[in-house]
């Protein structure tokens, strides 16, 4: 199950702007400026349980999608406005493919009092629920010989005397199948365990090994590309287990549970879901939008460059990075 929301994308196609199965809209903020990439352009910031989406109100194809999985830090800052008063800016530092990017969103809605509480709250919920989406080894999931169930989790089967073949000699333990994940833990040491969410499973088959017919679980490349083997006896039980897991995994793909739960303190739960409006976009196939990745590169703490007068802008501005000009940064469609 591929999660396109786990990274970030610029100029997202409308099909990827729409929420995927299991993704819920938590909040929507108006009059938000993408200060670093599109200064002066107001848009809408949509907060879901998996990512943050921003798009220009005047031209929705100018947009970006940032998955919480790329976040390094997120915080807010109070800014003084030119015409008096104060507003709040959201600063997000991210990491993707060994590069760091930063995003700054400024709220220009003078009537807003919540600002970015939903973004920070949902992100914290995302971080605290990684066990729904990541393989966990040797974690504290077993208490008093029982699996510590997650919210919305139900046990479907518990199978005794299952061998974990991840190490050469093998270890015997208990194999648990739930509606969210697969869990195995050793009988002699409950801290020797593994939790495998369905979200991380790329393939599950029965193969012949030196230990005999084995249940083999291959995790996705994004989750580490692990190969996990379990021996279930007798052979009939092995096939029953494989079939049960395949059915539950198929159901999970139709109705995935990501574990990210957030409710506004000042609103009842019934009001927390907000629809993402549909919009049509005009695709321009004859001219490509400028490469905007450079706008969002993080410069760390060495940041600010000396401002110089720009004839093109008619005001003083920081010199751009080497290889770019102020004129090119303000172009939507390259002139060359």
């Amino acid at each position: 199950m591929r999660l396109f929301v786990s990274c970030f994308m610029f100029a997202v196609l409308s099909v990827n702007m729409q929420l995927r199965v299991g993704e819920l809209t938590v909040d929507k903020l108006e009059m938000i400026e993408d200060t670093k990439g599109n200064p002066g352009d107001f848009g809408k910031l949509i907060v879901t349980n998996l990512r943050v989406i921003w798009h220009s109100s005047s031209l929705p194809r100018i947009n970006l999608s940032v998955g919480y999985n790329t976040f390094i830090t997120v915080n807010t800052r109070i800014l003084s406005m030119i015409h008096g008063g104060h507003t709040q800016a959201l600063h997000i530092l991210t990491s993707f493919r060994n590069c760091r990017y930063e995003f700054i969103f400024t709220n220009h809605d003078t009537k807003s009092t919540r600002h970015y509480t939903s973004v920070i709250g949902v992100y914290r919920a995302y971080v605290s629920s990684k066990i729904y989406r990541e393989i966990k080894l040797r974690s504290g999931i077993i208490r008093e010989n029982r699996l510590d169930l997650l919210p919305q989790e139900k046990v479907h089967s518990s199978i005794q005397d299952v061998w974990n073949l991840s190490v050469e000699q093998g270890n015997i333990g208990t194999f648990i199948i739930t509606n969210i994940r697969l869990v195995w833990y050793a009988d002699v040491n409950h801290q020797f365990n593994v939790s495998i969410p369905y979200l991380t499973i790329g393939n599950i088959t029965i193969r012949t090994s030196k230990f005999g017919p084995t249940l083999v679980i291959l995790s996705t490349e994004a989750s580490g590309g692990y190969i996990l083997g379990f021996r279930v006896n007798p052979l009939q039980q092995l096939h029953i287990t494989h079939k049960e897991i395949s059915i539950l995994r198929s159901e999970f793909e139709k109705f995935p549970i990501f574990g990210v739960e957030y409710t506004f303190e000042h609103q009842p739960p019934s009001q927390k879901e907000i629809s993402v409006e549909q919009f049509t976009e005009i695709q321009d196939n004859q001219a490509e939008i400028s490469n905007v990745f450079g706008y969002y590169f993080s410069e760390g703490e060495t940041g600010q460059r000396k401002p110089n007068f720009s004839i093109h802008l008619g005001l003083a501005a920081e010199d751009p990075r080497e290889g770019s000009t102020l004129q090119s940064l303000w172009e939507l469609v390259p002139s060359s």
Side-chain angles (χ1 to χ4, degrees), residues 28 77 85 90 122 127 157 169 181 242 280:
K28 181 175 67 175
R77 300 172 182 172
L90 177 71
V122 175
V127 171
S157 295
Q169 71 273 17
R181 56 180 171 164
H242 176 261
T280 57

Side-chain angles (χ1 to χ4, degrees), residues 304-310 315-319:
Q304 205 162 9
R305 293 178 292 275
K306 182 180 179 180
N308 290 312
F309 182 77
S310 167
L315 49 81
E318 289 184 18
D319 291 330

